[in-house]
């Protein structure tokens, strides 16, 4: 009985892996991304807790609303992570971020389980990053960005991201609690790998932007 309960609680517990991702994002100066990861962790864990035994008291919203924000947070997390990887200049970065936030809200409201909720943000972001990097390569007449970005960030991050999506869309029927938990883990690892080592807009030294608990809690 205890093993069965533990198995049912796995999706809830595994949702907490987005918290280390938020911590890493904060240390690297990506405070907006950290807030999005925290938002995703919060609603995903509460959403799965509503399915768990004896945890229905945590369902402070309707189940459908928690489900919506869980999927929405995941989609936006993917979007802001890829935009951070692309390292777009302002105000393009802010404009693209808001574009993804608004369009994803509408798309997920229409259909929260279709392939488009993730393929749309991923395809759009990859296209924009590819165009930008090709332009930089043409200007530099050499590889852009450095080879280490491809070998240490893009390659491993995309592999874990692809694994997460494969588990989510094709293998969850095998054993939902375990497969979905590995999906959470793979997705969080892909976020950490794809995020650049430092946010050039975060400032340095005394001028470095800081994220406190009050600001973080405001996102939920």
């Amino acid at each position: 009985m205890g093993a069965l309960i533990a198995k049912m609680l796995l999706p809830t517990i595994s949702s907490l892996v987005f918290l280390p991702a938020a911590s890493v994002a904060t240390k690297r100066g990506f405070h907006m991304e950290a807030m999005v990861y925290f938002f995703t962790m919060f609603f995903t864990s509460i959403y799965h807790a509503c399915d768990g035994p004896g945890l229905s008291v945590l369902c402070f919203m309707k189940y459908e609303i928690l489900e919506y924000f869980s999927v929405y947070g995941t989609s936006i997390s993917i979007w802001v992570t890829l935009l951070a990887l692309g390292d777009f200049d302002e105000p393009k970065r802010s404009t693209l971020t808001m574009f993804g936030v608004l369009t994803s809200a509408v798309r997920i409201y229409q259909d929260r389980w279709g392939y488009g909720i993730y393929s749309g943000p991923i395809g759009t972001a990859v296209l924009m990053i590819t165009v930008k990097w090709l332009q930089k390569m043409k200007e530099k007449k050499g590889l852009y960005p450095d080879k280490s970005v491809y070998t240490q960030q893009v390659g491993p991050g995309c592999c874990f991201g692809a694994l997460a999506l494969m588990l989510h869309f094709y293998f969850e029927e095998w054993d939902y609690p375990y497969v979905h938990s590995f999906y959470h883990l793979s997705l969080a690892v892909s976020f950490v790998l794809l995020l650049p080592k430092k946010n050039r807009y975060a400032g340095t030294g005394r001028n470095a932007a800081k994220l406190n608990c009050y600001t973080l809690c405001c996102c939920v």
Side-chain angles (χ1 to χ4, degrees), residues 8 32 39 76 85 89 140 157 167 178 187 192 197 202 215:
M8 295 178 66
M32 179 191 67
F39 177 93
I76 296 303
L85 175 65
D89 296 325
K140 292 181 59 178
L167 291 173
Y178 291 113
L187 196 61
V192 173
K197 302 301 181 183
T215 305

Side-chain angles (χ1 to χ4, degrees), residues 79-93:
W79 177 249
V80 297
T81 301
L82 290 175
L83 289 184
L85 175 65
D87 194 25
F88 295 97
D89 296 325
E90 293 289 357
K92 183 183 292 184
R93 182 186 179 190

Side-chain angles (χ1 to χ4, degrees), residues 186-205:
S186 300
L187 196 61
V189 171
S190 72
F191 293 158
V192 173
L193 289 172
L194 289 173
L195 271 183
K197 302 301 181 183
K198 187 177 181 181
N199 184 2
R200 61 190 177 99
Y201 293 107
T204 57

